[in-house]
Amino acid sequence: MKQHIRELLEEALPLVDIDSDFLFSELDSLGVTTILMILSKEYDIVLEAEDATPKNLKTLDAIVAMVTHKIADRK
């Protein structure tokens, strides 16, 4: 899943270092919105503005954890 998310985000946000330890600081509001929309559609989960926290978007691992948690909550 991590590699798939990396590929999705690298394609959508080519100027952002997806492997940054401070990914959230590299994102503007459009970047955050793009991430939420892509992952919501790809994994059929509901990601809202409340999910766009520095903790959830700090690193690629944090994003994967957020998606995994949302998928688990869906069931």
Side-chain angles (χ1 to χ4, degrees), residues 56-72:
N56 286 342
L57 301 175
K58 181 178 180 187
T59 62
L60 181 58
D61 287 333
I63 292 170
V64 171
M66 175 182 64
V67 171
T68 302
H69 180 73
K70 290 289 187 171
I71 290 171

Side-chain angles (χ1 to χ4, degrees), residues 1 43-45 65-75:
M1 176 187 284
Y43 292 99
D44 193 28
I45 55 177
M66 175 182 64
V67 171
T68 302
H69 180 73
K70 290 289 187 171
I71 290 171
D73 283 353
R74 183 182 64 194
K75 295 178 181 176

Side-chain angles (χ1 to χ4, degrees), residues 2-64:
K2 181 177 179 178
Q3 184 59 33
H4 183 64
I5 290 175
R6 176 195 316 278
E7 291 167 4
L8 289 171
L9 299 184
E10 284 177 342
E11 183 177 325
L13 303 166
L15 301 178
V16 175
D17 179 9
I18 301 300
D19 293 313
S20 172
D21 289 335
F22 301 100
L23 177 59
F24 185 80
S25 66
E26 294 193 27
L27 299 170
D28 58 12
S29 59
L30 182 59
V32 170
T33 303
T34 299
I35 289 174
L36 296 180
M37 289 176 51
I38 288 171
L39 297 177
S40 292
K41 182 177 178 183
E42 185 70 21
Y43 292 99
D44 193 28
I45 55 177
V46 177
L47 292 172
E48 300 175 12
E50 302 86 55
D51 297 310
T53 65
K55 179 183 175 190
N56 286 342
L57 301 175
K58 181 178 180 187
T59 62
L60 181 58
D61 287 333
I63 292 170
V64 171

